Amino acid sequence: MCGIAGFTGKGNRPVLEKMIAALRHRGPDNLGFYECDGVSMAHSRLSILDMSPAGHQPMKCDQGDVFLSYNGEIYNFRQLREELQKKGYKFASGTDTEVIIYLYKEYGEECLKMLNGMFALAIYDKRNGKIILARDRMGEKPLYWSFKNGELVFASEIGAMLVHPTISKDLDTLAVYQFFAFDYVPQPRTVFKDISKLENGQMLVWENGRIRSDKFYELKIKEDITVGEEKAAEKLAGLLEDSVKARLVSDAPLGVFLSGGIDSSSVAYFAKKHKSDLKTFSIGFREKTFDESGYIKMAVKAVGSNHYHKEFSPKEMTDFLPEIFAKLDEPFGDPSLLPTFLLSRFAREQVTVALGGDGGDELFMGYPNYKFQKVLHLTGLRKIKINDFFAKHLLKIFPASSKNMAFPFMAQRAIMSGRFPAHLRDFAAVGGYHRLLKELFLFGRDAEKELFAFADEYLNDHKDSDYMAKVVLLFQKYYLSDNILFKADRASMYSSLEERSPFLDCRLVDFANSLPHNLKLKGINSKHVFKKAMEGKLPAAIIHRKKKGFGVPLAAWLRNELKDFMLETLSESNIKETGFINFDVVRRLINDHLSGKMDNKKILWNLVIFTRWFKNNLISP
């Protein structure tokens, strides 16, 4: 993995150096710069393929008229290289970077459709005086941009963007509201008015002081009703094995994250078939309802890997929070960022690349919400909404619980999200949305009315999709990209580790999205065809185990280990520094949680994250 940054027009070498310095954790091995004709590009490299100086970036073609700064891995680069060699192209390195350059020279912007991998890239076409920015199909790698007065600024992370003198720190109040409701800001927004996310599968072209954007890939649910269950399972297993095999190519040490769930265990199973000395990594917790060590041991025995496990106490885990807060350049509220970071840090002691199981739940309807949505749809209950009056009284029925995936907490989340249209409720239920959110902010605008504008706009292009297809598409487009993959990227990059996700191979994604819903969610049996594909390969106990998220005992921590930290962070003086958060509501949320009256961990954690982020980025010099 790497970090990229650049701009046109205003700016100088010191600005460029500061931008790339903010990304050094993404690529500690080497720095590179290009400056010419008012175009500036920089690159920080984490060496994975061809670790020699021949892989230096920004890289140029032999004629010196096309330059590339690139973050990612292209898994079909060898096949593409062979095709280009037949056309007469010669290569000076063994990198996929050089392949992208000559692929662009041969096919232009159409080359993006030929890339199977994860990437965020910037191509400077000196011949035509244009810059092309592009982000991979599923959004595995991040890319941010800003366009003002004809000038373009771009970078892998917001922290690098803020270094540039044309970028203001003015907040987008709707985006702030969305962060508190969902734990993240849905693309293309960020919390800053001046900065946008490049969307997954999107290309942005700057030319002659103007920009245009286009999609080179669009998610689609197109059911193939002729496929049979046995054949689908067989093809799925073959695609996953091929995807895993392609992601084992590395000149740096490589391993696999192993949680004991079907997704990561399947990746480890296929990886072991092609890598006899496979290393796998996991971490554990002492809180029983969050610990997965029993399933991990079962998976290790089935796979036969060389396994490394580390158990963390609550204090050991929470001691890492200041480091994470210092690195976090945009608010992100999913608390599983912490264990994912610890897992990455632990694995980085021995490997530079790790394969993970991200994407399996989104492709094969593995989350509990899909079952709930199916019931709502089939019974017609999705038409019923829960207003504030009933929500207030229904919430009193369910006691607070600190257990993982506890029913009372899940019920509370369902009740509070019940005010929204059914196909949108999952965003609020999984995120931090709270019935008091409208009272929490002093924005002078009703942000809740615009909360789901992004989803409505996206679904305008999917009007012909059925109800369940819309639910799946929204989770793949936003929750997967802006939450799960953001978390995976940041947690791994903070440790200078590259994480690869075999489930997100474009062939596998398109195949999964072509399957009928009843092959993925058969009755209330989630991941049906995937489970069938792994029969005889993994123990039945792993294949059919209950879904368990990679979480932390946050509710209990906020009442015990993190209580003082929370109270200090959410002090009246700190809250009032923001200028738009109502401290009276904050105090009420805290008291209700500490007394056990309500499980307010989600909204309180988002308040902690935002307040710390605000002080680090908008108040500190």
Side-chain angles (χ1 to χ4, degrees):
M1 286 298 94
C2 307
I4 68 175
F7 52 84
T8 64
K10 292 179 183 177
N12 51 34
R13 181 60 177 259
V15 169
L16 189 61
E17 290 177 350
K18 287 180 181 179
M19 288 181 73
I20 204 63
L23 301 172
R24 198 62 196 268
H25 55 276
R26 300 186 71 90
D29 297 332
N30 184 250
L31 290 179
F33 300 90
Y34 170 81
E35 297 171 279
C36 188
D37 303 324
V39 173
S40 301
M41 299 169 66
H43 188 270
S44 60
R45 185 186 183 198
L46 178 64
S47 302
I48 302 295
L49 293 174
D50 191 344
M51 301 166 75
S52 73
H56 181 79
Q57 293 188 51
M59 185 180 288
K60 64 181 179 180
C61 67
D62 54 1
Q63 294 180 324
D65 56 6
V66 174
F67 296 80
L68 173 65
S69 188
Y70 150 68
N71 167 29
E73 299 289 343
I74 306 302
Y75 303 114
N76 62 336
F77 83 97
R78 288 177 172 170
Q79 300 95 301
L80 295 171
R81 177 183 170 125
E82 289 176 3
E83 293 174 14
L84 290 169
Q85 285 174 325
K86 291 176 183 178
K87 293 179 178 291
Y89 289 95
K90 295 182 180 180
F91 293 83
S93 74
T95 66
D96 50 359
T97 311
E98 195 176 12
V99 170
I100 298 173
I101 289 177
Y102 290 115
L103 203 66
Y104 173 77
K105 293 203 72 171
E106 180 67 22
Y107 299 102
E109 296 166 8
E110 287 294 306
C111 76
L112 298 172
K113 299 177 181 178
M114 305 168 71
L115 304 177
N116 180 1
M118 56 179 180
F119 57 86
L121 58 81
I123 297 172
Y124 173 44
D125 184 343
K126 192 174 182 180
R127 303 166 302 177
N128 299 303
K130 64 181 181 179
I131 294 175
I132 297 105
L133 304 181
R135 189 180 181 200
D136 64 72
R137 291 171 175 83
M138 302 306 291
E140 291 184 72
K141 294 293 103 185
L143 191 55
Y144 298 86
W145 64 277
S146 178
F147 179 72
K148 294 168 65 177
N149 301 319
E151 297 179 359
L152 177 69
V153 182
F154 62 89
S156 295
E157 294 181 12
I158 282 180
M161 295 285 293
L162 293 174
V163 171
H164 196 276
T166 66
I167 307 297
S168 79
K169 292 186 177 181
D170 293 340
L171 293 179
D172 179 338
T173 53
L174 173 58
V176 171
Y177 199 93
Q178 288 176 326
F179 159 70
F180 276 88
F182 309 140
D183 300 344
Y184 58 88
V185 180
Q187 57 185 300
R189 271 187 152 84
T190 72
V191 288
F192 295 106
K193 290 180 180 178
D194 273 3
I195 304 173
S196 298
K197 298 185 185 83
L198 197 66
E199 296 188 52
N200 55 297
Q202 184 183 14
M203 171 185 68
L204 186 78
V205 180
W206 174 90
E207 187 173 9
N208 297 322
R210 298 181 179 181
I211 60 170
R212 60 179 169 86
S213 66
D214 197 6
K215 284 282 189 179
F216 66 88
Y217 177 79
E218 186 70 64
L219 285 165
K220 293 180 181 178
I221 302 290
K222 189 176 181 180
E223 296 183 57
D224 180 359
I225 60 174
T226 63
V227 67
E229 186 175 290
E230 296 288 342
K231 192 172 183 179
E234 182 181 349
K235 184 173 181 179
L236 171 56
L239 282 171
L240 182 56
E241 179 172 2
D242 191 56
S243 176
V244 170
K245 183 180 178 182
R247 283 157 180 77
L248 294 175
V249 176
S250 172
D251 293 328
L254 177 147
V256 173
F257 292 153
L258 185 60
S259 68
I262 185 174
D263 297 342
S264 65
S265 298
S266 299
V267 170
Y269 170 84
F270 287 120
K272 184 62 167 67
K273 288 183 67 175
H274 301 280
K275 186 174 175 59
S276 59
D277 60 342
L278 182 69
K279 293 181 179 180
T280 52
F281 301 88
S282 64
I283 61 171
F285 317 111
R286 294 174 187 173
E287 166 60 50
K288 289 185 179 180
T289 62
F290 289 82
D291 184 61
E292 299 182 279
S293 57
Y295 286 107
I296 292 170
K297 291 176 182 177
M298 189 185 304
V300 170
K301 184 177 180 180
V303 170
S305 60
N306 299 316
H307 190 67
Y308 300 86
H309 181 81
K310 185 173 183 178
E311 186 176 88
F312 288 90
S313 68
K315 185 179 187 307
E316 288 173 317
M317 294 186 71
T318 55
D319 281 348
F320 279 96
L321 285 175
E323 180 179 352
I324 293 178
F325 284 132
K327 294 177 184 292
L328 204 59
D329 60 353
E330 59 182 306
F332 181 72
D334 188 336
S336 62
L337 175 66
L338 174 57
T340 308
F341 168 76
L342 295 177
L343 176 59
S344 297
R345 177 67 61 88
F346 175 52
R348 186 61 175 90
E349 295 173 6
Q350 298 197 50
V351 299
T352 310
V353 180
L355 275 61
D358 292 329
D361 287 311
E362 289 80 8
L363 293 184
F364 300 104
M365 303 174 78
Y367 293 123
N369 71 288
Y370 293 119
K371 301 176 185 179
F372 188 56
Q373 285 284 6
K374 186 174 183 178
V375 172
L376 288 178
H377 177 54
L378 293 178
T379 60
L381 290 174
R382 66 186 178 92
K383 298 178 182 179
I384 299 176
K385 292 184 180 182
I386 303 175
N387 63 31
D388 284 341
F389 176 81
F390 285 109
K392 180 179 179 180
H393 290 85
L394 284 172
L395 288 169
K396 296 177 181 178
I397 298 174
F398 300 98
S401 173
S402 299
K403 293 182 179 181
N404 191 22
M405 305 289 280
F407 176 75
F409 174 73
M410 304 289 280
Q412 287 179 8
R413 303 307 303 153
I415 291 168
M416 279 196 275
S417 63
R419 64 183 296 122
F420 302 111
H423 67 288
L424 302 175
R425 291 175 191 170
D426 295 334
F427 288 94
V430 174
Y433 182 81
H434 197 282
R435 56 179 295 270
L436 295 179
L437 203 57
K438 293 180 71 173
E439 300 175 33
L440 182 64
F441 296 108
L442 309 172
F443 286 149
R445 69 185 286 187
D446 189 355
E448 190 154 307
K449 287 184 177 180
E450 306 170 74
L451 187 59
F452 287 104
F454 69 96
D456 294 334
E457 182 178 346
Y458 178 68
L459 291 179
N460 279 336
D461 296 328
H462 299 275
K463 291 180 179 178
D464 295 335
S465 300
D466 65 32
Y467 179 80
M468 289 304 295
K470 290 176 181 177
V471 171
V472 171
L473 280 169
L474 286 172
F475 248 53
Q476 288 183 6
K477 172 69 175 179
Y478 298 103
Y479 183 74
L480 175 60
S481 178
D482 297 330
N483 185 319
I484 301 299
L485 298 181
F486 176 96
K487 174 181 64 181
D489 174 80
R490 294 306 195 277
S492 58
M493 285 289 91
Y494 289 163
S495 302
S496 298
L497 177 84
E498 174 177 297
E499 182 176 349
R500 299 175 178 177
S501 303
F503 283 100
L504 301 183
D505 186 290
C506 59
R507 300 165 300 168
L508 186 53
V509 170
D510 290 343
F511 175 69
N513 284 345
S514 75
L515 295 174
H517 300 320
N518 64 1
L519 284 186
K520 290 176 279 190
L521 184 59
K522 191 169 186 177
I524 58 170
N525 179 31
S526 59
K527 293 185 176 178
H528 175 72
V529 68
F530 179 34
K531 291 174 180 178
K532 193 167 188 65
M534 297 310 298
E535 287 179 356
K537 301 177 179 68
L538 293 175
I542 288 179
I543 293 174
H544 299 290
R545 65 171 289 195
K546 186 179 179 181
K547 173 67 181 173
K548 194 172 189 178
F550 192 32
V552 294
L554 186 60
W557 283 1
L558 291 176
R559 294 188 181 103
N560 299 285
E561 290 87 355
L562 287 177
K563 178 182 175 181
D564 291 341
F565 177 79
M566 174 184 68
L567 294 176
E568 176 190 351
T569 300
L570 303 184
S571 67
E572 186 170 4
S573 60
N574 283 344
I575 291 300
K576 287 187 175 180
E577 273 188 317
T578 66
F580 53 79
I581 297 179
N582 186 337
F583 179 71
D584 289 338
V585 177
V586 174
R587 179 164 45 203
R588 180 177 168 186
L589 290 167
I590 292 173
N591 291 338
D592 284 352
H593 185 81
L594 294 181
S595 67
K597 183 178 179 181
M598 280 286 294
D599 185 346
N600 288 330
K601 63 173 177 278
K602 296 287 289 183
I603 187 70
L604 288 174
W605 184 245
N606 284 349
L607 278 163
V608 168
I609 290 289
F610 186 84
T611 306
R612 286 279 171 173
W613 171 84
F614 191 92
K615 288 183 71 70
N616 289 341
N617 292 274
L618 301 184
I619 296 178
S620 300

